[in-house]
Amino acid sequence: MEKAQIGVVGMEVMGKNLALNIEDKGYKVAVFNRTGSKTERFIENEASGKNFIPSYKIEDFVNSLETPRKVWLMVKAGFGTDAMIGQISPYLSEGDIMIDGGNSHFKDTERREEELKKGGILYAGSGVSGGEEGARYGPCLMPGGASAAYDQLETIFKKVAAVADDGTVCVFYIGERGAGHFVKTTHNGIEYAIMESISEVYNVLKNALKMSPEEMRGVMAEWEDEKLGGYLMEITVDGLGIIDPDTGNPLIDLILDKAGQKGTGKWTSQSAADLGEPVPTIDAALSARFMSAKKEERVKASKLVHGPSETYDEDKDIIIKSLRDALYGSMIVSYAQGLALLRAASIEYDYKLDLKEIANIWKGGCIIRSKLLFPIVEAFERNPDLINLIFDPEFSKVIGDWGMQTNWRLAVKTALDLGIPVPALQASLTYVDSYRSAFLPANMIQLQRDIFGAHGFKRLDKEGDFHIPK
Ligand code: NAP
């Protein structure tokens, strides 16, 4: 029997759709899943009549592949990925390639690559973004790991990846070792920050302005047409229009306000802390998810501690305009923090990341694709060594625009006055205020540290290390 050119392991949402996408591009694809019934269902349904080789034993799966073999894992990150690698790798030979497209922690990826290298297996830890639809019709691919693996995978990757509105094929070799997964994790951190920023705006529109989902939909659809457009805004606008068939009510009003998470946002914050890089909007978005999970405690506390009335009685149009500017600012800052984190990681881990190319492939296929990424790419074209988006002349003009800043502050102030939490919108604004502060009160911290712990301090007027006079 003719062998398959590539194999996909994991017949859940991502693996199934990716396998169908690869097959659409003219490849024969081998498929395997730990639970064989899922492979069987896939072959009988979505894959029926298509060019697939199903296997129910790992040995058969590996033998169904052309050499050098290309095995693309799309399984649960962590233990699931280690388990599959442990079971498949004994059947692989020197020169075979293993791709991990799951949301793996970059340090796990580096460990796995080192282990597989001993047997001559090329390991490509690769981020995949775009969810179910992306996997099926074109994800953004962030491949990392062995460059020799990428050389052999480039043709397939380019056929499978999304194509952005300007024709950019959304795949680029990110860098060695865990670089691909580091970038994917950071992508998800930015995703958390933008999602939280949008949700906070929704909360103010709902609770302060008492707008219905349909009214909000109209407002956000206008923003979506402007500079704020992107996939996350698009699904927000669409989502606000979904009606629950059982009750006839807007679905959003029936969804429990507890957000889930699978860990990539947490890893972004943890990595940023390891690198000493401030990402307060991402941190705020993460904490907001933790806070949302405390539903029962929040309900109890809401009866104990009262705040101001949440209703806003003044000019609604001004607040709507202010919220738009606050959201726009917070989106810019979310990308700025994520990209600054990538820059810090690139230096620390010697990943040699090309931030322009990373922003470029994020323009299509992935969850954070947006209109904003186009000027972000231009900013890195103007200056490939840009330390922070805020230093780009175009972005500093936007952020520094007095009207925009005044509106952003008004949106945050109004929410604070009404007792409506806006941690991400506020963290983004504070990030800008801190970043543009030539002076921060860290002199006081240093004084306190020296008083209680003799940690010492530097002085503005003299060179050297000093302690408080005894
Ligand atoms: P998932 O629910 O994350 O994982 C399910 C798959 O993992 C199944 O094939 C399952 O096999 C396998 N698996 C779990 N534990 C295993 C173990 N101990 N040994 C062997 N196989 C095991 O599925 P998914 O949502 O399709 O995601 C796949 C990967 O892509 C994950 O790493 C995920 O983080 C990443 N990802 C997901 C999305 C998304 O939108 N869903 C987007 C980007 C990336 P069984 O059927 O036998 O249980």
Side-chain angles (χ1 to χ4, degrees), residues 185-202:
T185 299
T186 304
H187 161 288
N188 285 23
I190 298 171
E191 174 186 307
Y192 271 54
I194 296 177
M195 287 170 77
E196 174 62 22
S197 303
I198 296 174
S199 304
E200 290 172 9
V201 168
Y202 153 78

Side-chain angles (χ1 to χ4, degrees), residues 227 328-337 339 359 370-383 386 388-402 404-405 408 432 435:
K227 304 171 280 196
Y328 185 46
S330 197
M331 282 179 176
I332 294 173
V333 167
S334 302
Y335 286 111
Q337 289 174 16
L339 289 160
S370 71
K371 291 182 185 169
L372 249 175
L373 280 159
F374 288 76
I376 290 176
V377 171
E378 285 166 16
F380 283 99
E381 267 163 4
R382 277 188 287 277
N383 178 7
L386 193 61
N388 191 301
L389 264 191
I390 289 175
F391 284 120
D392 174 71
E394 292 302 317
F395 277 102
S396 60
K397 220 186 287 166
V398 175
I399 298 274
D401 178 84
W402 201 242
M404 150 100 180
Q405 232 188 71
W408 190 352
V432 173
Y435 204 70

Side-chain angles (χ1 to χ4, degrees), residues 385-432:
D385 299 322
L386 193 61
I387 291 174
N388 191 301
L389 264 191
I390 289 175
F391 284 120
D392 174 71
E394 292 302 317
F395 277 102
S396 60
K397 220 186 287 166
V398 175
I399 298 274
D401 178 84
W402 201 242
M404 150 100 180
Q405 232 188 71
T406 307
N407 282 344
W408 190 352
R409 290 182 198 286
L410 180 66
V412 171
K413 265 192 294 197
T414 306
L416 293 181
D417 282 348
L418 299 175
I420 299 174
V422 285
L425 300 180
Q426 192 180 347
S428 294
L429 183 57
T430 304
Y431 178 82
V432 173

Side-chain angles (χ1 to χ4, degrees), residues 110-144:
E110 302 200 345
R111 167 181 57 78
R112 290 167 185 149
E113 187 178 351
E114 279 305 305
E115 282 164 14
L116 289 170
K117 211 189 266 176
K118 292 175 196 154
I121 297 163
L122 301 171
Y123 192 68
S126 304
V128 177
S129 177
E132 181 175 6
E133 179 130 342
R136 180 68 185 90
Y137 300 108
C140 170
L141 298 176
M142 292 157 259

Side-chain angles (χ1 to χ4, degrees), residues 176-177 345-353:
E176 289 177 355
R177 294 167 282 118
S346 187
I347 294 167
E348 178 68 20
Y349 306 126
D350 196 24
Y351 284 150
K352 302 182 177 63
L353 299 180

Side-chain angles (χ1 to χ4, degrees), residues 13 39 41 50 77 84 128 130 168 181 195 197 215 238 281 307 315 334 337 353 363 428 466:
V13 180
T39 309
R41 265 204 306 278
K50 297 186 180 227
M84 281 324 304
V128 177
T168 300
H181 277 136
M195 287 170 77
S197 303
E215 286 169 324
D238 292 348
T281 312
D315 188 340
S334 302
Q337 289 174 16
L353 299 180
K363 289 192 303 199
S428 294
F466 297 89

